């Protein structure tokens, strides 16, 4: 394993979730902050913000089942509900009763499910009080979500099962990398080294066997769209969307839909060159707008 990823992994620990090992990092001092990472990578996505966040918060960041350094069972039905259960179970395990949330990509869907449970008293583990939620780019409204062709083919057709044995091969990498590049802004494209690290995270613990199965979470966005949106429209939890506008999946068009659907929307648009991974592409701006949101919420309490 690359030394940088090894250092990240060595700084974490594991907890047992229904017989599976879940990797997580918990560091820092202050109010609790839950980081919910995106698909298909892991908590390493938060590395550009990590040191600054842990100076202000007790940060808790797990790798979801099927991703990163957590277990990746093949015979498993990966769902947003199950990912939400895991996050609740970890927080209950750590004795966390309240937390701010910062979410990205699939993490937005998990955050939406956790918010719905918070609103409708349906939590599976504990009784987490959500202090605030900050959304980064993700498919908050499936009607506005425009995934790349490769993403749709792997997660919503039999092609994912057909391609699974080839993932990790030079052919698979050549197919995946153009999609990854397309999701970043024009001036923030991933370097060769970053792409290699992304592949290493995907392939850790034979992850190529399940990446397409985890990707089927997009189906949950159709099934649970109205329940999640109802929770967002009625909640008293303060929400802010920080959006990279040139993200072809969930950029400016998703922010516009957010403003149409959410009462009194709080939306921050980043520079016009920022894409799907704001925490990697513009970490300083994300930190500024996130802290502004949390400080405003804290001042009102």
């Amino acid at each position: 394993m690359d030394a940088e990823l090894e250092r990240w992994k060595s700084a974490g620990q594991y907890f047992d979730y229904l017989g599976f090992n879940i990797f997580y990092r918990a560091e820092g001092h202050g109010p609790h902050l839950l980081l919910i990472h995106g698909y298909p990578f892991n908590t390493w996505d938060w590395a550009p913000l990590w040191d600054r966040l842990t100076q202000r918060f007790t940060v808790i960041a797990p790798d979801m089942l099927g991703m990163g350094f957590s277990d990746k069972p093949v015979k498993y039905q990966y769902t947003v509900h199950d990912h939400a259960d895991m996050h609740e179970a970890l927080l209950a395990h750590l004795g966390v009763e309240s937390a701010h949330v910062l979410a990205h990509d699939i993490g937005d869907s998990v955050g939406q499910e956790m918010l719905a449970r918070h609103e409708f008293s349906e939590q599976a583990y504990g009784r987490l009080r959500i202090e605030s939620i900050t959304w980064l780019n993700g498919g908050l409204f499936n009607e506005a979500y425009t995934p790349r062709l490769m993403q749709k083919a792997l997660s919503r057709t039999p092609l994912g099962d057909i391609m699974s044995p080839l993932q990790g091969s030079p052919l698979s990498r050549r197919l995946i990398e153009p999609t990854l590049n397309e999701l970043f802004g024009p001036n923030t494209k991933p370097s060769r080294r970053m792409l290699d690290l992304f592949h290493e995270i995907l392939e850790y613990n034979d992850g190529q066997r399940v990446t397409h199965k985890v990707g089927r979470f997009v189906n949950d966005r159709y099934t649970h769209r109205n329940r999640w949106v109802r929770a967002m429209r009625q909640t008293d939890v303060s929400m802010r969307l920080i959006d990279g506008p040139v993200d072809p999946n969930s950029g400016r068009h998703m922010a516009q839909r957010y403003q149409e659907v959410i009462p009194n929307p709080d939306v921050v648009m980043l520079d016009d060159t920022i894409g799907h991974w704001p925490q990697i592409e513009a970490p300083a701006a994300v930190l500024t707008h996130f802290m502004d949101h949390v400080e405003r919420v804290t001042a009102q309490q």
Side-chain angles (χ1 to χ4, degrees), residues 141 144 241 243 251-262 267 269:
F141 310 102
L241 170 62
D243 193 79
R252 189 180 306 278
H253 57 290
M254 186 65 69
Q256 290 172 344
R257 186 59 177 154
Y258 189 96
Q259 291 172 317
E260 293 168 357
V261 174
I262 301 302
V267 176
M269 299 304 297

Side-chain angles (χ1 to χ4, degrees), residues 175-197:
L175 291 172
I176 291 172
E177 288 183 7
T179 297
L180 286 175
N181 273 296
E182 190 178 358
L183 293 174
F184 282 79
N187 304 323
T188 54
K189 299 296 184 186
S191 65
R192 179 70 259 165
R193 170 172 164 72
M194 179 174 287
L195 288 171
D196 288 342
L197 294 179

